[in-house]
Amino acid sequence: MQSTLRSRPETSPQASHRQRRYLMCRPTHFAVEYAINPWMDPTAPVDVDLAVAQWSALRQAYLDLGHRVELVDPLPGLPDMVFAANGALVADGTVYGAQFRNPQRADEAPAYRSWFEAAGYPVTPPKYVNEGEGDLLLVDSPAGEVILAGTGFRTELAAHAEAQEQFGRPSITLCLVDPRFYHLDTALFPLGDGNVAYFPGAFSDGSRQVLKQLFPDAIVASADDAAVLGLNAVSDGRHVVLNVEATGLADQLATRGYVPVPVNLSELRKAGGGPKCCTLEIR
Ligand code: ARG
C-alpha cells in the first residue's frame, strides 16, 4: 500500500530521457603498468581479452539503448586510453581539451584532441591540469546547467574557472578527500534529470554541504556500492549503466523509477575505471 501512496518524483526520469552520443576507445593496449591511483597494482595479472570483451558489452549496452557510439583509435603505449571520459569536456559542440596530471597519460590529450579536430570540433587547449569529464561533470540542477568540478587529486582549481569561462556555466568546486575516489566521476554521477547520485564519504565536509544544498533529493549511495565503483555510472535520464556489483545502488535507482543496466567491468576496475570512465559524452 505504502508504495502506491508514495508521490511520484517531481521530475519523472522518463521525461528527460534522450538519445546520447558517446566517444569510446577500445582497450586493445590496456595494461596496468604503473600505479597512479590505489586501485592499480602493476604486479597483478590483467586479462586484455577479457577487458576487450567486457568493454564491448558496455558499448553494445549503449547501442541497445539507442545511443550512438563513436570510436577513437587506441594507441600503443597508452594503457589507460580506454578511459575516454578523461579526454575532454564537450558542450555546445565545443571541446575543452584535457591536460593530464601524470606524465604516463600525457600523450592521450593530443590523441583525443586530434579526434575532435578531425571530426570538425573546435578544441580549446587548456592552460591548466584537468582530466576532462573525470572531474568536470555537466549537470542539470534546479538552478540550470552547472559544471560540478572535482579537485584534490587530479584537476587543478584554476581549471574550474577556465571551464566556467569556456562554457558559460557556473563551475562548482567539490573537494575529493579519499584517494580511492580520485576523480569526481568515481563518487558522483548526474541522473540526467536535474538530480545526482553520490557517495558522501568521498567529499570534504564543505563539499557535502554544497551537494546537500544543490541536490536535496539526491540518491545517497552506500560505502559498499562506492567501493565497487558503483558511482562511476552513466545515466541517459532513464537507464543507468552501472557496475553489476553495485546491487544496493541498483535497488535505490529502481525505487526512484530508473532502469538499472548492470555491466561487468572487473578487468578495467584493476586500473580504477568503470563504465563512466570509458565514456565521453559529445554534446
Ligand atoms: N588509471 C586511470 C587513472 O588513474 C583511470 C582513469 C579512470 N577514469 C575516470 N574517468 N575516472 O587515471
Side-chain angles (χ1 to χ4, degrees), residues 86-161:
N86 301 130
L89 173 63
V90 188
D92 311 325
T94 68
V95 180
Y96 176 53
Q99 187 180 311
F100 286 83
R101 161 79 54 190
N102 299 288
Q104 296 95 329
R105 297 195 67 187
D107 289 344
E108 293 180 43
Y112 279 96
R113 183 184 166 157
S114 303
W115 186 90
F116 279 106
E117 284 172 348
Y121 292 85
V123 180
T124 309
K127 279 207 208 78
Y128 301 103
V129 170
N130 82 86
E131 299 199 348
E133 280 198 322
D135 276 322
L136 303 169
L137 294 171
L138 203 60
V139 177
D140 284 324
S141 82
E145 236 175 10
V146 301
I147 301 167
L148 295 184
T151 192
F153 298 99
R154 299 289 176 88
T155 296
E156 52 183 337
L157 212 45
H160 297 183

Coordinates of all heavy atoms in Angstrom, one line a residue, residues 86-161:
N86 N 38.3 11.0 -19.7 CA 39.3 11.9 -19.3 C 39.9 12.7 -20.5 O 40.7 13.6 -20.3 CB 40.5 11.1 -18.6 CG 40.1 10.4 -17.4 OD1 40.4 9.2 -17.3 ND2 39.4 11.1 -16.5
G87 N 39.4 12.5 -21.7 CA 39.9 13.1 -22.9 C 39.5 14.5 -23.1 O 40.2 15.3 -23.8
A88 N 38.4 15.0 -22.5 CA 37.9 16.3 -22.8 C 36.6 16.5 -22.0 O 36.1 15.6 -21.3 CB 37.6 16.5 -24.3
L89 N 36.1 17.8 -22.1 CA 34.7 18.1 -21.7 C 34.1 18.7 -22.9 O 34.7 19.7 -23.5 CB 34.6 19.0 -20.5 CG 33.2 19.5 -20.2 CD1 32.3 18.4 -19.8 CD2 33.2 20.6 -19.0
V90 N 33.0 18.3 -23.4 CA 32.4 18.7 -24.6 C 31.0 19.3 -24.3 O 30.1 18.6 -23.7 CB 32.2 17.6 -25.6 CG1 31.8 18.1 -27.0 CG2 33.6 16.9 -25.8
A91 N 30.7 20.5 -24.8 CA 29.3 21.1 -24.7 C 29.2 22.1 -25.8 O 30.1 22.8 -26.2 CB 29.1 21.7 -23.3
D92 N 27.9 22.2 -26.3 CA 27.6 23.1 -27.3 C 28.5 22.9 -28.6 O 28.8 23.9 -29.3 CB 27.8 24.6 -26.9 CG 27.1 24.9 -25.5 OD1 26.0 24.3 -25.3 OD2 27.6 25.7 -24.8
G93 N 28.9 21.7 -28.8 CA 29.8 21.4 -29.9 C 31.2 22.0 -29.8 O 31.9 22.1 -30.8
T94 N 31.6 22.4 -28.6 CA 33.0 22.9 -28.5 C 33.6 22.0 -27.4 O 33.0 21.4 -26.5 CB 33.0 24.4 -28.0 OG1 32.5 24.5 -26.7 CG2 32.3 25.3 -29.0
V95 N 35.0 22.0 -27.5 CA 35.7 21.0 -26.7 C 36.7 21.7 -25.9 O 37.5 22.5 -26.4 CB 36.4 20.0 -27.7 CG1 37.2 19.0 -26.9 CG2 35.4 19.3 -28.6
Y96 N 36.7 21.4 -24.6 CA 37.7 21.9 -23.6 C 38.7 20.7 -23.5 O 38.3 19.6 -22.9 CB 37.1 22.3 -22.3 CG 38.0 22.7 -21.2 CD1 39.0 23.7 -21.4 CD2 38.0 22.1 -19.9 CE1 39.9 24.0 -20.4 CE2 38.8 22.4 -18.9 CZ 39.8 23.4 -19.1 OH 40.6 23.8 -18.1
G97 N 39.9 20.8 -24.0 CA 40.8 19.7 -24.0 C 41.3 19.4 -22.6 O 41.3 20.2 -21.7
A98 N 41.9 18.2 -22.5 CA 42.4 17.7 -21.2 C 43.9 18.0 -21.2 O 44.6 18.2 -22.2 CB 42.2 16.2 -21.1
Q99 N 44.4 18.1 -19.9 CA 45.8 18.1 -19.7 C 46.1 17.3 -18.5 O 45.6 17.6 -17.4 CB 46.3 19.6 -19.4 CG 47.8 19.7 -19.3 CD 48.2 21.1 -19.1 OE1 47.8 22.1 -19.7 NE2 49.1 21.3 -18.1
F100 N 46.7 16.1 -18.7 CA 46.8 15.1 -17.6 C 47.8 15.5 -16.5 O 48.8 16.1 -16.8 CB 47.2 13.8 -18.3 CG 46.0 13.2 -19.0 CD1 45.7 13.5 -20.3 CD2 45.1 12.3 -18.4 CE1 44.6 13.0 -21.0 CE2 44.1 11.7 -19.1 CZ 43.8 12.1 -20.4
R101 N 47.4 15.0 -15.3 CA 48.3 15.3 -14.2 C 49.6 14.4 -14.3 O 50.7 14.9 -13.9 CB 47.5 14.9 -12.9 CG 48.2 14.6 -11.6 CD 48.7 15.8 -10.9 NE 47.6 16.7 -10.6 CZ 47.8 18.0 -10.2 NH1 49.0 18.4 -9.9 NH2 46.7 18.7 -9.9
N102 N 49.4 13.2 -14.7 CA 50.6 12.3 -14.7 C 51.2 12.1 -16.0 O 50.5 12.0 -17.0 CB 50.1 10.9 -14.1 CG 49.6 10.9 -12.7 OD1 50.3 11.1 -11.8 ND2 48.3 10.8 -12.6
P103 N 52.5 12.1 -16.1 CA 53.2 12.0 -17.4 C 52.9 10.7 -18.2 O 52.8 10.8 -19.4 CB 54.7 12.0 -17.0 CG 54.8 11.7 -15.5 CD 53.5 12.2 -15.0
Q104 N 52.5 9.7 -17.5 CA 52.2 8.4 -18.1 C 51.0 8.6 -19.1 O 50.8 7.8 -20.0 CB 51.9 7.3 -17.1 CG 53.0 6.9 -16.2 CD 53.0 7.6 -14.9 OE1 52.6 8.8 -14.8 NE2 53.6 7.0 -13.9
R105 N 50.1 9.5 -18.8 CA 48.9 9.7 -19.6 C 49.0 10.9 -20.5 O 48.0 11.2 -21.2 CB 47.7 9.7 -18.7 CG 47.4 8.5 -17.9 CD 46.0 8.4 -17.3 NE 45.0 8.3 -18.4 CZ 43.7 8.4 -18.2 NH1 43.2 8.6 -16.9 NH2 42.8 8.3 -19.2
A106 N 50.0 11.7 -20.4 CA 50.1 13.0 -21.1 C 49.8 12.9 -22.6 O 49.0 13.8 -23.1 CB 51.5 13.6 -20.9
D107 N 50.2 11.9 -23.3 CA 50.1 11.8 -24.7 C 48.6 11.5 -25.1 O 48.3 11.5 -26.3 CB 51.0 10.8 -25.3 CG 52.5 11.3 -25.3 OD1 52.6 12.5 -25.1 OD2 53.4 10.5 -25.4
E108 N 47.8 11.2 -24.2 CA 46.4 10.9 -24.5 C 45.7 12.2 -24.9 O 44.8 12.2 -25.7 CB 45.6 10.3 -23.3 CG 46.1 8.9 -23.0 CD 45.3 8.3 -21.8 OE1 44.0 8.5 -21.8 OE2 45.9 7.7 -20.9
A109 N 46.1 13.3 -24.3 CA 45.5 14.6 -24.6 C 45.5 15.0 -26.1 O 44.5 15.3 -26.7 CB 46.1 15.7 -23.7
P110 N 46.7 15.0 -26.7 CA 46.7 15.3 -28.2 C 46.0 14.2 -29.0 O 45.4 14.6 -30.1 CB 48.2 15.3 -28.5 CG 48.9 14.7 -27.4 CD 48.1 14.9 -26.2
A111 N 45.9 13.0 -28.6 CA 45.2 12.0 -29.3 C 43.7 12.3 -29.3 O 43.1 12.2 -30.4 CB 45.5 10.6 -28.7
Y112 N 43.2 12.6 -28.2 CA 41.7 13.0 -28.1 C 41.5 14.3 -28.9 O 40.5 14.4 -29.6 CB 41.2 13.0 -26.7 CG 40.9 11.7 -26.2 CD1 41.8 10.9 -25.4 CD2 39.7 11.0 -26.5 CE1 41.6 9.6 -25.0 CE2 39.4 9.8 -26.0 CZ 40.3 9.1 -25.3 OH 40.1 7.8 -24.9
R113 N 42.4 15.2 -28.7 CA 42.3 16.5 -29.4 C 42.2 16.3 -30.9 O 41.4 16.9 -31.6 CB 43.5 17.3 -29.0 CG 43.4 18.7 -29.6 CD 44.6 19.5 -29.3 NE 44.6 20.7 -30.1 CZ 45.3 21.8 -29.9 NH1 46.0 21.9 -28.8 NH2 45.2 22.8 -30.7
S114 N 43.1 15.4 -31.4 CA 43.1 15.2 -32.9 C 41.8 14.6 -33.4 O 41.3 14.9 -34.4 CB 44.2 14.2 -33.3 OG 45.4 14.7 -32.9
W115 N 41.2 13.7 -32.6 CA 40.0 13.0 -32.9 C 38.9 14.1 -33.1 O 38.2 14.1 -34.1 CB 39.5 12.0 -31.9 CG 38.3 11.2 -32.4 CD1 38.3 10.1 -33.2 CD2 36.9 11.6 -32.3 NE1 37.0 9.8 -33.5 CE2 36.1 10.7 -33.0 CE3 36.3 12.7 -31.6 CZ2 34.8 10.8 -33.0 CZ3 34.9 12.8 -31.7 CH2 34.1 11.8 -32.4
F116 N 38.8 15.0 -32.1 CA 37.8 16.0 -32.2 C 38.0 17.0 -33.4 O 37.1 17.4 -34.1 CB 37.7 16.8 -30.9 CG 36.9 16.1 -29.9 CD1 37.5 15.4 -28.8 CD2 35.5 16.0 -30.0 CE1 36.7 14.7 -27.9 CE2 34.7 15.3 -29.1 CZ 35.3 14.6 -28.0
E117 N 39.3 17.4 -33.6 CA 39.6 18.3 -34.7 C 39.2 17.6 -36.0 O 38.6 18.3 -36.9 CB 41.1 18.7 -34.6 CG 41.2 19.7 -33.5 CD 42.7 20.1 -33.3 OE1 43.6 19.4 -33.8 OE2 42.9 21.1 -32.6
A118 N 39.6 16.3 -36.2 CA 39.2 15.6 -37.4 C 37.7 15.5 -37.6 O 37.2 15.5 -38.7 CB 39.8 14.2 -37.4
A119 N 37.0 15.5 -36.5 CA 35.5 15.4 -36.6 C 34.9 16.8 -36.7 O 33.7 16.9 -36.8 CB 35.0 14.7 -35.3
G120 N 35.7 17.8 -36.8 CA 35.2 19.2 -37.1 C 34.8 20.0 -35.8 O 34.1 21.0 -35.9
Y121 N 35.3 19.6 -34.7 CA 35.0 20.4 -33.4 C 36.2 21.3 -33.1 O 37.3 20.8 -33.0 CB 34.8 19.4 -32.2 CG 33.5 18.6 -32.4 CD1 33.5 17.4 -33.1 CD2 32.3 19.0 -31.8 CE1 32.4 16.6 -33.2 CE2 31.2 18.2 -31.9 CZ 31.2 17.1 -32.6 OH 30.1 16.3 -32.7
P122 N 35.9 22.5 -32.8 CA 37.0 23.4 -32.3 C 37.4 22.9 -30.9 O 36.6 22.7 -30.1 CB 36.4 24.8 -32.3 CG 34.9 24.6 -32.4 CD 34.6 23.2 -32.9
V123 N 38.7 22.9 -30.7 CA 39.2 22.4 -29.4 C 40.0 23.6 -28.8 O 40.9 24.2 -29.4 CB 40.2 21.2 -29.5 CG1 40.7 20.8 -28.2 CG2 39.5 20.1 -30.3
T124 N 39.7 23.9 -27.5 CA 40.4 24.9 -26.8 C 41.5 24.2 -26.0 O 41.1 23.3 -25.1 CB 39.5 25.7 -25.8 OG1 38.4 26.1 -26.5 CG2 40.2 26.8 -25.1
P125 N 42.8 24.5 -26.3 CA 43.8 23.8 -25.4 C 43.8 24.4 -24.0 O 43.7 25.6 -23.9 CB 45.1 24.1 -26.2 CG 44.8 25.3 -27.1 CD 43.3 25.4 -27.2
P126 N 43.8 23.6 -23.0 CA 43.7 24.1 -21.6 C 45.1 24.7 -21.2 O 46.1 24.3 -21.6 CB 43.4 22.9 -20.8 CG 44.1 21.8 -21.6 CD 44.0 22.2 -23.0
K127 N 45.0 25.7 -20.3 CA 46.2 26.2 -19.6 C 46.5 25.4 -18.4 O 47.6 25.4 -17.9 CB 46.0 27.6 -19.2 CG 46.1 28.7 -20.3 CD 46.5 30.0 -19.6 CE 46.1 31.2 -20.4 NZ 44.7 31.6 -20.3
Y128 N 45.5 24.8 -17.8 CA 45.6 24.1 -16.5 C 45.3 22.6 -16.5 O 44.6 22.2 -17.4 CB 44.7 24.8 -15.5 CG 45.0 26.3 -15.4 CD1 44.1 27.2 -16.0 CD2 46.1 26.7 -14.7 CE1 44.4 28.6 -15.9 CE2 46.4 28.1 -14.6 CZ 45.6 29.0 -15.2 OH 45.8 30.3 -15.2
V129 N 45.9 21.9 -15.6 CA 45.7 20.5 -15.5 C 44.2 20.2 -15.2 O 43.6 20.7 -14.3 CB 46.5 19.9 -14.3 CG1 46.1 18.4 -14.1 CG2 48.0 20.0 -14.6
N130 N 43.6 19.4 -16.1 CA 42.3 18.9 -15.9 C 42.1 17.6 -16.7 O 42.7 17.4 -17.7 CB 41.3 19.9 -16.4 CG 41.0 19.8 -17.9 OD1 40.2 19.0 -18.4 ND2 41.8 20.6 -18.7
E131 N 41.4 16.7 -16.1 CA 41.2 15.4 -16.7 C 39.8 15.2 -17.2 O 39.1 14.2 -16.9 CB 41.7 14.3 -15.7 CG 43.2 14.5 -15.4 CD 43.9 13.3 -14.8 OE1 43.3 12.3 -14.4 OE2 45.2 13.4 -14.8
G132 N 39.3 16.2 -17.9 CA 38.1 16.1 -18.7 C 36.9 15.7 -17.8 O 36.8 16.2 -16.7
E133 N 36.0 14.9 -18.4 CA 34.8 14.5 -17.6 C 35.1 13.6 -16.4 O 34.2 13.3 -15.7 CB 33.8 13.8 -18.6 CG 33.0 14.7 -19.4 CD 31.8 14.0 -20.0 OE1 31.9 12.8 -20.4 OE2 30.8 14.7 -20.1
G134 N 36.3 13.3 -16.2 CA 36.7 12.6 -15.0 C 36.4 13.5 -13.8 O 35.8 13.1 -12.8
D135 N 36.7 14.8 -13.9 CA 36.5 15.7 -12.9 C 35.5 16.9 -13.2 O 35.2 17.6 -12.3 CB 37.8 16.4 -12.5 CG 38.6 15.5 -11.5 OD1 38.0 14.9 -10.6 OD2 39.8 15.4 -11.6
L136 N 35.1 17.0 -14.4 CA 34.2 18.1 -14.8 C 32.9 17.5 -15.4 O 32.9 17.0 -16.5 CB 34.9 19.0 -15.9 CG 36.3 19.6 -15.5 CD1 37.0 20.2 -16.7 CD2 36.1 20.6 -14.4
L137 N 31.9 17.6 -14.6 CA 30.6 17.0 -15.0 C 29.6 18.0 -15.2 O 29.3 18.8 -14.3 CB 30.2 16.0 -13.9 CG 31.1 14.8 -13.7 CD1 30.6 14.0 -12.4 CD2 31.0 13.9 -14.9
L138 N 29.0 18.0 -16.4 CA 27.9 18.9 -16.7 C 26.7 18.3 -16.2 O 26.3 17.2 -16.5 CB 27.9 19.1 -18.3 CG 27.2 20.3 -18.8 CD1 28.0 21.5 -18.4 CD2 27.2 20.2 -20.3
V139 N 26.0 19.1 -15.3 CA 24.9 18.6 -14.6 C 23.7 19.6 -14.6 O 23.9 20.7 -14.4 CB 25.3 18.3 -13.1 CG1 24.1 17.8 -12.3 CG2 26.4 17.3 -13.0
D140 N 22.5 19.1 -14.9 CA 21.3 19.9 -14.7 C 21.1 20.0 -13.2 O 21.3 19.1 -12.4 CB 20.1 19.1 -15.2 CG 20.0 19.2 -16.7 OD1 20.4 20.2 -17.3 OD2 19.5 18.2 -17.3
S141 N 20.8 21.2 -12.8 CA 20.5 21.4 -11.4 C 19.2 22.3 -11.3 O 18.8 22.8 -12.3 CB 21.6 22.1 -10.7 OG 21.5 23.5 -10.9
P142 N 18.6 22.4 -10.2 CA 17.4 23.3 -10.1 C 17.8 24.7 -10.5 O 16.9 25.4 -10.9 CB 17.0 23.2 -8.6 CG 17.6 21.8 -8.2 CD 18.8 21.6 -8.9
A143 N 19.1 25.0 -10.5 CA 19.5 26.4 -10.9 C 19.9 26.4 -12.3 O 20.6 27.4 -12.8 CB 20.6 26.9 -10.0
G144 N 19.6 25.4 -13.1 CA 20.1 25.4 -14.5 C 21.3 24.5 -14.6 O 21.8 23.9 -13.6
E145 N 21.9 24.5 -15.8 CA 23.1 23.6 -16.0 C 24.3 24.2 -15.3 O 24.6 25.4 -15.4 CB 23.4 23.5 -17.5 CG 23.4 22.1 -18.0 CD 23.6 21.9 -19.5 OE1 23.9 22.9 -20.2 OE2 23.4 20.8 -19.9
V146 N 25.0 23.4 -14.6 CA 26.3 23.8 -13.9 C 27.4 22.7 -14.2 O 27.1 21.6 -14.6 CB 26.1 23.9 -12.4 CG1 25.0 24.9 -12.0 CG2 25.7 22.5 -11.8
I147 N 28.6 23.1 -14.0 CA 29.7 22.2 -14.0 C 30.1 21.8 -12.6 O 30.6 22.7 -11.9 CB 30.9 22.8 -14.8 CG1 30.5 23.3 -16.2 CG2 32.1 21.9 -14.8 CD1 31.6 24.2 -16.8
L148 N 29.9 20.6 -12.3 CA 30.4 20.1 -11.0 C 31.9 19.8 -11.2 O 32.2 19.0 -12.1 CB 29.6 18.9 -10.4 CG 28.1 19.2 -10.1 CD1 27.5 17.9 -9.5 CD2 28.0 20.4 -9.1
A149 N 32.7 20.4 -10.4 CA 34.2 20.4 -10.8 C 34.9 19.8 -9.6 O 35.0 20.4 -8.5 CB 34.6 21.8 -11.1
G150 N 35.5 18.6 -9.8 CA 36.3 18.0 -8.7 C 37.7 18.4 -8.7 O 38.3 18.8 -9.7
T151 N 38.3 18.4 -7.5 CA 39.7 18.7 -7.3 C 40.2 17.9 -6.0 O 39.4 17.4 -5.3 CB 39.9 20.2 -7.1 OG1 41.4 20.5 -7.2 CG2 39.4 20.8 -5.8
G152 N 41.5 17.9 -5.9 CA 42.0 17.2 -4.7 C 43.1 16.2 -5.1 O 44.1 16.1 -4.4
F153 N 42.9 15.6 -6.3 CA 43.9 14.6 -6.7 C 44.4 14.9 -8.1 O 45.6 14.7 -8.3 CB 43.3 13.2 -6.6 CG 42.9 12.8 -5.2 CD1 41.6 12.9 -4.8 CD2 43.9 12.4 -4.3 CE1 41.3 12.5 -3.5 CE2 43.6 12.0 -3.0 CZ 42.2 12.1 -2.6
R154 N 43.5 15.3 -9.0 CA 44.0 15.4 -10.4 C 43.8 16.8 -10.9 O 44.7 17.5 -11.2 CB 43.2 14.4 -11.3 CG 43.4 13.0 -10.9 CD 44.8 12.5 -11.3 NE 45.0 11.1 -10.9 CZ 44.7 10.0 -11.6 NH1 44.2 10.1 -12.8 NH2 45.0 8.8 -11.1
T155 N 42.5 17.2 -11.1 CA 42.2 18.5 -11.8 C 42.5 19.7 -10.9 O 42.2 19.6 -9.7 CB 40.8 18.5 -12.2 OG1 40.6 17.5 -13.2 CG2 40.4 19.9 -12.8
E156 N 43.2 20.7 -11.4 CA 43.6 21.8 -10.5 C 42.4 22.9 -10.5 O 41.7 23.0 -11.5 CB 44.9 22.4 -10.8 CG 45.2 22.8 -12.2 CD 46.7 23.3 -12.4 OE1 47.3 23.8 -11.4 OE2 47.2 23.3 -13.5
L157 N 42.4 23.6 -9.4 CA 41.4 24.6 -9.2 C 41.2 25.6 -10.3 O 40.1 25.9 -10.7 CB 41.7 25.3 -7.9 CG 40.6 25.8 -7.0 CD1 39.5 24.8 -6.8 CD2 41.2 26.2 -5.6
A158 N 42.4 26.0 -10.8 CA 42.3 27.0 -11.9 C 41.6 26.5 -13.1 O 41.0 27.3 -13.9 CB 43.7 27.5 -12.3
A159 N 41.6 25.2 -13.3 CA 40.8 24.7 -14.5 C 39.3 24.8 -14.3 O 38.6 24.9 -15.3 CB 41.2 23.2 -14.7
H160 N 38.9 24.9 -13.1 CA 37.4 25.0 -12.8 C 37.0 26.4 -13.4 O 35.9 26.5 -14.1 CB 37.1 25.0 -11.4 CG 37.4 23.6 -10.7 ND1 37.1 23.3 -9.4 CD2 38.0 22.5 -11.2 CE1 37.5 22.1 -9.1 NE2 38.0 21.6 -10.2
A161 N 37.8 27.4 -13.2 CA 37.4 28.8 -13.7 C 37.6 28.8 -15.2 O 36.8 29.4 -15.9 CB 38.3 29.8 -13.0

